[in-house]
Amino acid sequence: MRAVFATPPSEAGRASLFPFAADGAALVADLRLTRAAYPGEKEIEDLVEEARRAGAGFGELWATATLGTRLGGTKRVRHPLVGELVLDSDVLKVPDHDMRIMTFTAEPGTPDAEGLDRLRAAAEGADVSV
């Protein structure tokens, strides 16, 4: 949510998803389902309020009554190290849990696959421990 509706990622030096409209609408619809599953949950309410204050169209999307969940599609990602990538995304939902795993893949042999390979190589040399 924050990456889409808050500080523009290009200003923060991190990857960004675009176009906003499609990803933003699906993200808001998914958040609405999460909020319904956990009514009154402070962290969710705080996130909604933060996104409303940030602007970027969240309030307009939140005002619609659309419900939904994203299960996949095509994402365009702009990454500061490799530029624009067009990736296939799939969302795997763990049955009876709130966990979702999102995967990004690219068609082998394409410039997008080469970009993912460069990101993998960069990650191998970076300290990515949590």
Side-chain angles (χ1 to χ4, degrees), residues 36-94:
Y38 299 96
E41 181 72 30
K42 182 176 176 5
E43 289 181 17
I44 295 171
E45 297 301 327
D46 289 348
L47 182 59
V48 169
E49 285 308 310
E50 180 183 335
R52 280 187 182 156
R53 286 190 307 272
F58 178 86
E60 295 161 10
L61 291 171
W62 189 255
T64 68
T66 304
L67 296 173
T69 188
R70 301 174 297 161
L71 295 177
T74 300
K75 300 281 186 207
R76 297 179 67 173
V77 178
R78 183 173 294 133
H79 193 280
L81 292 178
V82 296
E84 182 178 326
L85 301 172
V86 177
L87 305 172
D88 294 323
S89 69
D90 292 293
V91 178
L92 310 171
K93 293 179 75 175
V94 178

Side-chain angles (χ1 to χ4, degrees), residues 18-27 61:
F18 58 95
F20 164 77
D23 289 330
L27 191 59
L61 291 171

